Amino acid sequence: MFRMFPSRTDPVPPRGRPGRRRAALGALSLAGACALVVASAAVVPAAGAEGTPGGRCHGYALPHVPGAAHQRADCLHELTTAGTVASGHTDPADFAGLTPEDLPTPSGVPGIQIDGYFPDTSTTNTNHGWNHDAQFVIRLPDRWNGGLVVSGTPANREQYANDRAISDWVLSRGYAFAATDKGNTGPAFYRDGRRPGDAIAEWNERVTQLTRAAGAVVTQRYHRPPARTLATGLSNGGYLVRWQLENHPELYDGGVDWEGTLWRADGPNPLTFLPPALRAYPVYAAGGAGAEDAWKAMREAGYPAGSEFLWPYHHKVYWDLTQRVYREEADPEFDGATEAGTPYCAPGTPGCDADYDYATRPPAVHRAVDRVALTGRIGKPLITLHGTLDALLPISRDSDVYARMVRQAGRGALLRYYRVEDGTHVDSLVDAFPDKLRPMVPCHRSAFEALERWLAGNGRPPADHTVRRPADADPATLLTSCPLA
């Protein structure tokens, strides 16, 4: 997800963007809310650590991850969170707040889990007590369907963030699964790298690196390469799907983009629609003579009509911190010596992000965004889905625009785009507003199945449309069903 930091306002540490070059990404790279605890507790190693065979691993050699600086392979009776939470092979803090509380958890998936990290110089990821970034997880089910699913994490979360929303379900379908922490984590992710844009650029490099490595691991384990490699992810993870299919289509057969973040050098991007919300929402919330004009300003910035009930939460949790830390990544000079701005500053305060005007910032800022920008030139089939009540990445400023970009690039035949009525950015909010919101996770699963059929030649997915929420929908049914047709 684009931004899911703690619901509290965390103090941002002092400025300290390191002036160092990252360690090489390893040989393979050369060949090719949510009450989230950002600094999550260390996962307790399980028996059989450091690659010692045991249990279901008898009878074959454990795979080796090419290019990894460190790795550990464990043989597990359960690869889904039905078992990994108890065994210490995931970190629930990584995926907190991303899914509805009552989302069913599949089980009955034995196999091998490999945890490790690639060479890197940053140390924000504390999982396993490694204090080392570029961590990954690879899961290899005993009953394999021939496919591989690769994902980058939402927000600035660590490698287990997709475990409940994506990993559990694809593992239950027989896929091997791999995920990366993207090379930097937490609210001060922007410190990684030497120049503006480096931290986000590394996200793309790490997904490419892991895709190549995971393909090699799959080949070792099953004695044949994956017949199908799919990319999927939500929010920042959806952005990574788009970027990979634009820049490395040779590595994938297709992808599912779940409300990916749109970065464009000339806008829209988060730095163009977040500042208006920081200016207008407090006036709207205060009521009085200026409230109507403030509401209009929110609508002009892209925030959808009908999402007003979500604005208080997003103002408290998302908009301010998201603007400040991503602006610091692209434009650290805006606030001078201050690092990542001043929380909830009033317009007119020097260096206040509520006054930020991306369009008038120096060319260097736009070049930093351009380094990570999307083009729409996808090279493999892509299904995009986005909730119509997304109050963090407004649909009219994000996926609506990206779908047009794909068509303008002449790649429209490779895209299916579904607007999900009453979906929002964070599925945990469905628990708070079950009468107003629908969960996105079952729609993601329907999109994934549609992609499978598309790639297998069993019918093209339905044309682009809005997936309506049934007027008499039962919440339990919405949690497990989202027909795209």
Side-chain angles (χ1 to χ4, degrees):
M1 176 140 346
F2 178 65
R3 266 285 309 120
M4 268 170 284
F5 290 135
S7 57
R8 66 186 183 279
T9 301
D10 289 321
V12 178
R15 176 179 288 276
R17 183 185 288 273
R20 65 181 184 274
R21 186 180 184 85
R22 286 193 193 86
L25 291 178
L28 284 173
S29 67
L30 298 178
C34 48
L36 167 63
V37 179
V38 173
S40 55
V43 174
V44 179
E50 306 304 327
T52 302
R56 293 182 174 272
C57 286
H58 285 307
Y60 50 78
L62 291 170
H64 175 77
V65 182
H70 180 78
Q71 64 186 80
R72 180 182 83 196
D74 294 316
C75 309
L76 305 179
H77 293 289
E78 184 60 69
L79 290 175
T80 74
T81 55
T84 55
V85 171
S87 70
H89 288 84
T90 188
D91 185 348
D94 282 6
F95 53 77
L98 291 180
T99 56
E101 183 178 357
D102 293 333
L103 183 70
T105 301
S107 61
V109 187
I112 300 172
Q113 176 163 316
I114 304 175
D115 295 286
Y117 54 79
F118 294 108
D120 198 2
T121 57
S122 56
T123 60
T124 61
N125 190 338
T126 62
N127 270 321
H128 305 280
W130 290 337
N131 298 318
H132 196 290
D133 291 344
Q135 291 191 37
F136 60 81
V137 59
I138 300 174
R139 297 189 174 107
L140 307 166
D142 286 352
R143 295 182 290 275
W144 183 51
N145 69 3
L148 168 64
V149 174
V150 182
S151 190
T153 57
N156 304 99
R157 297 182 181 229
E158 296 158 2
Q159 67 270 26
Y160 304 114
N162 293 310
D163 280 8
R164 228 175 150 238
I166 298 174
S167 177
D168 283 353
W169 186 73
V170 299
L171 286 168
S172 73
R173 294 172 63 80
Y175 284 93
F177 175 79
T180 170
D181 69 2
K182 310 193 300 287
N184 44 72
T185 66
F189 77 97
Y190 50 78
R191 291 179 173 180
D192 197 11
R194 300 180 60 186
R195 58 179 178 153
D198 273 358
I200 294 178
E202 184 180 2
W203 301 352
N204 297 313
E205 297 165 0
R206 294 300 181 183
V207 174
T208 303
Q209 177 185 40
L210 180 62
T211 302
R212 290 173 171 151
V217 168
V218 164
T219 301
Q220 293 174 51
R221 168 64 182 88
Y222 304 109
H223 307 293
R224 59 186 174 94
R228 178 176 296 163
T229 299
L230 305 177
T232 191
L234 58 149
S235 196
N236 279 343
Y239 156 76
L240 293 166
V241 173
R242 297 172 177 179
W243 194 94
Q244 292 295 320
L245 295 190
E246 289 181 7
N247 293 275
H248 287 290
E250 76 281 0
L251 298 178
Y252 307 93
D253 295 282
V256 179
D257 152 35
W258 178 350
E259 64 200 18
T261 312
L262 178 62
W263 288 104
R264 280 167 47 106
D266 57 353
N269 62 54
L271 303 181
T272 66
F273 55 72
L274 287 170
L278 297 181
R279 292 192 299 271
Y281 175 75
V283 179
Y284 167 78
E292 183 176 355
D293 287 342
W295 179 84
K296 291 178 180 178
M298 292 289 294
R299 294 284 294 114
E300 289 172 2
Y303 297 91
S307 69
E308 292 86 351
F309 69 98
L310 296 169
W311 293 357
Y313 180 85
H314 284 74
H315 177 256
K316 180 180 179 181
V317 177
Y318 293 138
W319 294 336
D320 179 76
L321 186 56
T322 302
Q323 163 63 25
R324 289 187 290 105
V325 299
Y326 284 89
R327 190 271 305 152
E328 186 73 14
E329 165 68 354
D331 191 358
E333 301 304 318
F334 172 74
D335 54 357
T338 304
E339 182 172 6
T342 302
Y344 298 100
C345 55
T349 305
C352 181
D353 276 276
D355 293 324
Y356 189 75
D357 183 2
Y358 175 80
T360 63
R361 296 302 294 159
V365 176
H366 294 250
R367 288 196 296 271
V369 173
D370 192 52
R371 293 179 57 211
V372 300
L374 296 169
T375 65
R377 295 191 291 272
I378 55 174
K380 289 292 173 62
L382 174 67
I383 296 180
T384 288
L385 61 152
H386 203 122
T388 61
L389 294 184
D390 193 326
L392 179 58
L393 301 180
I395 190 170
S396 66
R397 300 295 186 268
D398 192 285
S399 293
D400 286 358
V401 178
Y402 188 67
R404 290 196 297 270
M405 290 169 59
V406 173
R407 298 186 194 102
Q408 290 167 0
R411 310 299 171 88
L414 294 174
L415 177 70
R416 287 293 184 272
Y417 173 40
Y418 304 118
R419 307 169 96 251
V420 180
E421 185 177 43
D422 295 344
T424 195
H425 202 75
V426 185
D427 260 7
S428 60
L429 287 173
V430 176
D431 295 330
F433 303 103
D435 57 332
K436 297 181 178 180
L437 297 173
R438 72 175 300 166
M440 293 288 293
V441 62
C443 301
H444 171 261
R445 294 173 179 181
S446 293
F448 193 96
E449 291 171 331
L451 179 65
E452 290 177 319
R453 294 190 294 271
W454 190 1
L455 296 177
N458 293 328
R460 297 176 68 84
D464 300 0
H465 68 282
T466 297
V467 180
R468 299 295 180 187
R469 179 187 183 188
D472 57 349
D474 177 71
T477 301
L478 288 176
L479 196 59
T480 58
S481 176
C482 181
L484 297 181

